[in-house]
Amino acid sequence: MHKEHPLTKNQQIIFDLIDKSPEPMKAYSILFSVQKKGIKAPLQVYRALDKLVEIGKIHKIESRNAFIACHNSSCQVSKATAFSICEICEKVTEISSTGLSKYLANFKDKDGMKYSKYNLEFFGLCKKCR
Amino acid sequence: MHKEHPLTKNQQIIFDLIDKSPEPMKAYSILFSVQKKGIKAPLQVYRALDKLVEIGKIHKIESRNAFIACHNSSCQVSKATAFSICEICEKVTEISSTGLSKYLANFKDKDGMKYSKYNLEFFGLCKKCR
DNA sequence: TTACATAATGTTATATTATAACAATTCAAA
DNA sequence: TTTGAATTGTTATAATATAACATTATGTAA
Ligand SMILES: [Zn+2]
Ligand SMILES: [Zn+2]
Ligand SMILES: [Zn+2]
Ligand SMILES: [Zn+2]
């Protein structure tokens, strides 16, 4: 087993920013926020984001091209993700439901195909917007 | 009840193209293909795509920024979609499983929130690539 | 029919998201 | 301590998507 790698400088800066954000952050908004810390180019941001996604510290909300920190201790790597998204205020919450994740992890389609990874996005109205 | 609206010219051209394609199509590849038919600008493509998604004739594969025709007679409107995506050859198939759709349509998170819409993308290896 | 509203179209420009290509540096393992 | 992998820095460019505004078609109701 590998020891968990510590984050590099750029990765840490960008993770901290996303982790503190109450809402998903987009790449260029991240870029803008970290320019004072010396990260000047899109690629520096995208490379850090790629790595953070790969190791499961953040997730990408595909329908929004935005990133949020993972607060679900059980997902070490981004292979099983589920989110709820408010269609009014765009609030995003990671869903951690044992039932749901078990159901999806064991789902087989009619060809008997099992999947190694999934991403689920639910849309609706959050408490505040209902 | 409304009669089902016929497609407009641009919508029909673009739907036909996607419908015939064996794989998901990206907006600018659609644009390139329909230029001989007089559709010259990205917006003309995106407007048709938006409408086709809205009425459920096509679906957007969010993780790929690509569009496929719906072949699932039971989904009239894009509110409950599930796909399998091969990570090698990028083959995409729409999953139509009554069990899955029932499970997800009735899923409530721990706040009791019910959702009006979802999109699920499974990743794995297709038959050919296994 | 005529008039009005609505939806669709055409067009130019621009915004947003993401990657290519290559050089330099850091860092850990042999 | 060298060597290979990962990370970083940098410039340029590709790919995806929308803003703004003018025009044309289409449906509906007086
Ligand atoms: Zn997570
Ligand atoms: Zn809300
Ligand atoms: Zn469908
Ligand atoms: Zn395949």
Side-chain angles (χ1 to χ4, degrees):
Chain A
M1 280 296 164
H2 287 290
K3 184 174 81 170
E4 197 177 312
H5 272 290
L7 300 181
T8 65
K9 181 165 142 284
N10 287 0
Q11 288 161 13
Q12 189 70 56
I13 290 170
I14 287 173
F15 174 72
D16 287 344
L17 181 68
I18 297 174
D19 192 38
K20 283 196 304 258
S21 170
E23 63 207 8
M25 293 196 76
K26 308 197 129 209
Y28 276 71
S29 138
I30 292 168
L31 175 59
F32 179 79
S33 296
V34 298
Q35 274 178 334
K36 63 194 74 152
K37 304 213 170 178
I39 296 176
K40 291 182 210 149
L43 251 198
Q44 296 175 284
V45 171
Y46 280 105
R47 286 198 281 228
L49 289 174
D50 285 351
K51 193 66 186 184
L52 290 168
V53 166
E54 185 189 323
I55 64 183
K57 301 280 289 181
I58 65 174
H59 301 301
K60 181 172 186 181
I61 310 301
E62 292 287 357
S63 66
R64 299 299 187 260
N65 298 314
F67 300 84
I68 63 170
C70 176
H71 292 109
N72 180 345
S73 60
S74 69
C75 69
Q76 299 298 2
V77 117
S78 303
K79 64 180 210 299
T81 48
F83 305 95
S84 80
I85 302 173
C86 175
E87 294 191 292
I88 304 275
C89 73
E90 295 289 323
K91 178 180 162 64
V92 173
T93 311
E94 187 167 1
I95 295 173
S96 91
S97 154
T98 330
L100 178 65
S101 53
K102 268 190 188 146
Y103 183 87
L104 292 176
N106 293 315
F107 178 77
K108 293 193 181 75
D109 69 18
K110 57 170 173 274
D111 297 330
M113 172 147 176
K114 257 197 92 181
Y115 302 101
S116 56
K117 203 170 123 186
Y118 65 78
N119 179 56
L120 171 58
E121 298 181 5
F122 278 113
F123 303 89
L125 302 183
C126 77
K127 260 183 187 165
K128 252 179 46 192
C129 295
R130 236 168 312 167
Chain B
M1 275 299 164
H2 288 290
K3 186 175 82 174
E4 197 177 311
H5 272 288
L7 300 181
T8 65
K9 182 165 141 283
N10 286 1
Q11 288 161 14
Q12 190 68 59
I13 290 170
I14 287 174
F15 175 73
D16 288 344
L17 181 67
I18 297 173
D19 192 39
K20 283 197 305 260
S21 171
E23 61 208 10
M25 293 196 75
K26 308 198 128 209
Y28 276 73
S29 137
I30 292 168
L31 175 58
F32 179 78
S33 297
V34 297
Q35 275 178 335
K36 63 194 71 150
K37 305 216 171 175
I39 296 176
K40 291 183 209 146
L43 250 198
Q44 296 175 283
V45 172
Y46 280 105
R47 286 197 280 227
L49 290 173
D50 286 350
K51 194 66 185 183
L52 290 167
V53 166
E54 186 190 320
I55 64 183
K57 301 280 288 182
I58 65 173
H59 300 302
K60 181 172 186 182
I61 311 301
E62 292 287 356
S63 67
R64 300 300 187 258
N65 298 316
F67 300 84
I68 63 171
C70 176
H71 291 110
N72 180 346
S73 59
S74 69
C75 69
Q76 299 298 3
V77 117
S78 303
K79 64 182 212 296
T81 48
F83 305 96
S84 81
I85 302 173
C86 174
E87 293 189 294
I88 303 276
C89 72
E90 294 290 323
K91 179 179 162 61
V92 173
T93 311
E94 186 167 1
I95 295 172
S96 90
S97 154
T98 331
L100 179 65
S101 52
K102 269 192 188 146
Y103 183 87
L104 292 176
N106 292 315
F107 178 77
K108 292 194 181 76
D109 70 17
K110 57 170 173 272
D111 297 331
M113 173 148 175
K114 256 200 93 182
Y115 302 102
S116 57
K117 203 170 125 185
Y118 65 77
N119 179 57
L120 171 58
E121 298 182 6
F122 278 112
F123 303 90
L125 302 183
C126 78
K127 260 182 186 166
K128 253 180 45 194
C129 295
R130 233 167 314 167

